[in-house]
Amino acid sequence: MSSLFFVSCNSFCCLFVFILKLELLLLCGLHFNPFFSSFPSDYVNLLLPRSPGSSQMVSHCSVIQMDSSANSLNSSKTSLPPRYSCWSGKQSISLKQPLTKYSLPLRAVLTSNTRDMSTSLVNDDGKIGVLLLNLGGPETLDDVQPFLFNLFADPDIIRLPRLFRFLQKPLAQFISVARAPKSKEGYASIGGGSPLRKITDEQAEELRKALCKKDIPAKVYVGMRYWHPFTEEAIEQIKKDGITKLVVLPLYPQFSISTSGSSLRLLESIFREDEYLVNMQHTVIPSWYQREGYIKAMGDLIENELKNFEQPEKVMIFFSAHGVPLAYVEEAGDPYKAEMEECVDLIMEELEKRRLTNPYTLAYQSRVGPVEWLKPYTDETIIELGQRGVKSLLAVPISFVSEHIETLEEIDVEYKELALKSGIEKWGRVPALGCQPTFISDLADAVIESLPYVGAMAVSNIEARQSLVPLGSVEELLAVYDSQRRELPAPVTVWEWGWTKSAETWNGRAAMLAVVVLLFLEVTTGEGFLHQWGILPISR
C-alpha cells in the first residue's frame, strides 16, 4: 500500500510540477504572448484538459443552439459593459502556389441571404441582443498584474487536483506578480496597454449600425473573459435591457477549444445559474471563417498591401496564425488546424479570382514551453524563407480581427526584425480587420441569418440547413472536446541523460517540486520570503 501511495504521489507531483515548471519557463525571459503558449494576453491559449482519444470533430461550426437550466445568479459587478442600441431605452515548411482549377474542391463559401428575413424578424415580438465574446486585455500598465491574476486564477488555465484547489489563488497571485514586470514591458512598447477593448467597442457600434441599416433593431454587448467588461457584466446588462433573443458571437474566425470553447464554457455556467436566462432564446455562432464577406474582406486587405511592393507578383504571402498545443488537435479533436487551413485556401482562391497568383504559406506563432505546438513555427519558417532566397514577405495575421500585442509587438517588431536579419529585404503586414465595412456587414448578415434558429430545436441533419452545422447545445459541443477534463499528456515520460528535452523536463520537475513545497509552507504557516517581499499578505 505504501508503495502504491508513493507512486501515486510521485505521479501527481510530476504532473503538478510540470505545470508549474511551464510557468517558470515563461518567467525566464519568454515574451508575454497570447494564449497560454504565447502571451500577449489579449489572447491566451488556455491549457484545457482534454479527453484523450477523441476523434470527433466539429469542423465547420456556424450556429449552435445553447440550452440553459434554472437557478439564480448572484452578481455584484460594479462596472457594466457598454451596449450599443438601435432604439432608446522543425518540420520543413510548405510553400504553396495559388489554387488552380485542378485543386481539390473546397467546401463552399457561405453566402449571405438576408433580404427576405429582415421584415419578418423586425415585426417579431422580443428584443434582440448580440453578445460579442473575446478574451480581453489590460488597458493600462496598472491593469497588467490583476489581469494576470484573473487569468491564472481560472482553473481552465492551471487545473489543480481537487485536494489542492485552495492553492489556486495563492499560486495565481505568485505567478501574476512575478510575470507582471516583463509583461508591462511588452505593453509599454505598444502604448501602455492593450487596444483590444477600444477596437472591440468600435466593432460593436459598427455592427449595431449595420444591423439597423438591415432593419434589425438590436443591442450589441461586449463580454471579455479576463478583463472588463467581463462576460458576467455583459449578461447583467442584457438582463436589465430585457433582451429576449440573443445571438452569441465569439470574435474568433476559427473555432478552438482554447478560445471560443473557453468563453462558451464560462457562458454555459452562467446560463445554468440564472433563472432569467432560461426563458431567453439564444444561439451561438462558434465560427465564421468560411463566410463570403469575411473572405472578401481579407482579400481586399491583402490586395491593398501588395500594392505597396515594387514587384507585387514576387511577394510571398505569409499567413501567421496563433498556435495551439499539438495535443489539442491530435488527442482532443480541436478543429482549429483544419479550419485554419481551409480558411487560407478560401482566401487564396479569392485572390486567384483577382488574378493574384502569389506563392503562400501558413505557420503558427507564439509557442511556449517544452510541449509540441502546431507546426511549422512562424519564427523558424521566416528563417527558412530567408535561406531559400525569398526577398519580399507580406505577413497576414490570419486568426486576429483586432490589433493587439501579438500583432503590434510580436509580428511588427520581433518577426520583422527576424525577417530582415534572415535576408528578407522587403517586409509588409496586413492590418487586422477591425471595422472593415465588408467584414462588419457580413457579421451583421451572420447575426440575421441565425435569428430564425434562435430557440429552435436541435437538428442533426446538416442537409436541412446548408449554412449550418448540426445544431446542439453548448454542453454537447463542449463534451466533444472536454468530457472528462483530463490533463494534457506530458511531452516526455522517459528519463534520458544529457542535455535532452527529457533530462531538462525531469530536472525541471525536481526543481519545481521544491517550489511547490515552499509555496505550501508559505500558505500554511503564513511566513516566508513571499510574505516578506509583500507578494502574499502577512497575517496579523
Side-chain angles (χ1 to χ4, degrees):
M1 287 295 292
S2 60
S3 176
L4 288 175
F5 177 76
F6 175 79
V7 171
S8 299
C9 291
N10 184 53
S11 300
F12 160 71
C13 287
C14 288
L15 177 60
F16 186 55
V17 165
F18 173 73
I19 296 173
L20 291 178
K21 180 230 174 186
L22 180 58
E23 285 304 318
L24 282 192
L25 285 174
L26 295 172
L27 287 174
C28 297
L30 286 176
H31 159 84
F32 180 59
N33 273 344
F35 292 96
F36 187 71
S37 62
S38 53
F39 263 116
S41 98
D42 287 329
Y43 295 89
V44 178
N45 214 329
L46 311 179
L47 287 180
L48 301 178
R50 303 295 165 227
S51 175
S54 172
S55 59
Q56 184 177 1
M57 292 179 63
V58 179
S59 59
H60 297 283
C61 304
S62 212
V63 176
I64 291 189
Q65 180 191 349
M66 182 162 144
D67 294 336
S68 55
S69 52
N71 267 330
S72 170
L73 175 66
N74 297 320
S75 178
S76 58
K77 303 300 177 185
T78 55
S79 63
L80 293 173
R83 73 269 192 197
Y84 306 86
S85 174
C86 196
W87 66 79
S88 8
K90 186 160 217 176
Q91 152 182 328
S92 177
I93 63 174
S94 175
L95 302 182
K96 301 181 180 180
Q97 295 295 330
L99 305 174
T100 67
K101 62 183 179 180
Y102 302 107
S103 301
L104 292 176
L106 295 175
R107 196 170 294 219
V109 174
L110 301 187
T111 58
S112 300
N113 183 18
T114 63
R115 294 180 181 178
D116 298 333
M117 298 182 185
S118 299
T119 303
S120 60
L121 289 172
V122 75
N123 293 328
D124 195 7
D125 293 334
K127 293 183 178 180
I128 298 171
V130 181
L131 175 59
L132 303 181
L133 297 178
N134 217 325
L135 287 177
E139 298 173 67
T140 69
L141 295 182
D142 291 337
D143 296 337
V144 172
Q145 190 274 323
F147 168 80
L148 292 178
F149 175 81
N150 292 337
L151 173 66
F152 293 112
D154 181 3
D156 279 338
I157 296 289
I158 301 178
R159 193 168 287 169
L160 302 179
R162 188 178 302 276
L163 182 63
F164 291 90
R165 291 283 169 83
F166 71 96
L167 289 175
Q168 189 83 47
K169 290 187 176 180
L171 182 60
Q173 180 73 7
F174 172 75
I175 296 173
S176 63
V177 170
R179 296 188 59 159
K182 183 66 176 179
S183 300
K184 287 181 179 180
E185 292 180 9
Y187 283 104
S189 69
I190 62 169
S194 171
L196 186 61
R197 177 175 182 175
K198 177 178 180 295
I199 295 173
T200 306
D201 285 346
E202 292 171 352
Q203 290 172 327
E205 173 62 12
E206 291 304 312
L207 177 59
R208 180 198 66 80
K209 292 178 180 178
L211 288 169
C212 285
K213 291 179 180 178
K214 298 173 186 289
D215 298 323
I216 298 296
K219 292 185 177 182
V220 183
Y221 306 82
V222 173
M224 300 293 189
R225 187 69 174 86
Y226 297 112
W227 201 242
H228 299 285
F230 292 110
T231 303
E232 295 90 337
E233 299 172 27
I235 291 296
E236 282 301 300
Q237 190 61 57
I238 287 170
K239 291 165 59 180
K240 286 186 177 182
D241 291 340
I243 297 299
T244 58
K245 295 186 176 182
L246 181 68
V247 176
V248 181
L249 178 59
L251 288 177
Y252 311 104
Q254 306 83 15
F255 181 89
S256 173
I257 53 181
S258 60
T259 52
S260 302
S262 174
S263 293
L264 293 180
R265 183 176 293 109
L266 172 63
L267 200 60
E268 174 195 25
S269 66
I270 296 173
F271 272 59
R272 281 179 172 177
E273 298 173 355
D274 198 300
E275 185 175 0
Y276 173 88
L277 302 176
V278 174
N279 299 317
M280 183 176 66
Q281 298 175 318
H282 42 272
T283 55
V284 178
I285 307 176
S287 73
W288 33 269
Y289 69 92
Q290 74 280 52
R291 292 189 59 84
E292 182 180 37
Y294 167 74
I295 297 299
K296 287 185 179 297
M298 290 299 298
D300 291 341
L301 293 178
I302 294 172
E303 185 176 15
N304 290 338
E305 290 300 318
L306 285 173
K307 296 175 182 177
N308 295 328
F309 291 84
E310 293 181 359
Q311 295 179 302
E313 69 281 358
K314 295 184 178 181
V315 176
M316 168 71 69
I317 299 177
F318 186 86
F319 293 95
S320 185
H322 64 72
V324 300
L326 185 61
Y328 281 15
V329 174
E330 293 188 346
E331 298 185 28
D334 195 330
Y336 178 73
K337 182 175 183 290
E339 292 193 0
M340 183 61 67
E341 291 174 352
E342 182 178 354
C343 178
V344 169
D345 285 344
L346 289 172
I347 293 173
M348 292 309 301
E349 188 179 63
E350 171 66 24
L351 292 178
E352 184 184 291
K353 295 176 183 176
R354 307 181 187 196
R355 301 181 183 276
L356 299 175
T357 58
N358 297 67
Y360 68 100
T361 192
L362 167 65
Y364 298 90
Q365 65 186 79
S366 310
R367 76 187 189 278
V368 162
V371 181
E372 186 174 2
W373 291 69
L374 288 180
K375 291 183 178 180
Y377 300 137
T378 293
D379 52 356
E380 294 179 358
T381 302
I382 289 175
I383 295 173
E384 187 171 345
L385 289 175
Q387 294 173 345
R388 293 190 180 191
V390 174
K391 297 302 180 184
S392 299
L393 198 65
L394 178 61
V396 182
I398 185 62
S399 52
F400 312 113
V401 299
S402 304
E403 301 291 357
H404 62 295
I405 199 169
E406 195 166 343
T407 60
L408 299 175
E409 202 274 338
E410 188 173 8
I411 295 180
D412 288 353
V413 178
E414 295 183 15
Y415 290 147
K416 179 180 180 180
E417 181 180 349
L418 177 63
L420 296 178
K421 288 182 179 179
S422 301
I424 294 171
E425 299 174 354
K426 303 294 183 182
W427 169 274
R429 202 261 287 179
V430 172
L433 283 164
C435 294
Q436 205 266 5
T438 303
F439 164 59
I440 295 295
S441 178
D442 190 63
L443 280 187
D445 288 342
V447 170
I448 295 172
E449 291 163 17
S450 71
L451 286 175
Y453 309 109
V454 171
M457 294 299 294
V459 176
S460 60
N461 182 9
I462 192 170
E463 300 298 331
R465 296 178 176 181
Q466 295 298 325
S467 64
L468 307 179
V469 299
L471 298 188
S473 68
V474 168
E475 290 92 333
E476 292 170 343
L477 174 67
L478 296 178
V480 172
Y481 306 109
D482 202 19
S483 59
Q484 299 184 36
R485 301 204 170 195
R486 297 175 180 171
E487 297 292 339
L488 290 172
V492 179
T493 57
V494 180
W495 171 264
E496 295 175 2
W497 291 95
W499 294 100
T500 64
K501 179 187 290 187
S502 172
E504 186 271 342
T505 299
W506 283 92
N507 289 337
R509 289 174 178 173
M512 286 303 300
L513 180 58
V515 175
V516 175
V517 173
L518 288 175
L519 183 60
F520 179 78
L521 292 175
E522 287 266 1
V523 174
T524 55
T525 65
E527 297 178 355
F529 69 93
L530 295 180
H531 292 82
Q532 294 174 359
W533 292 350
I535 296 176
L536 294 178
I538 299 176
S539 58
R540 299 184 183 278

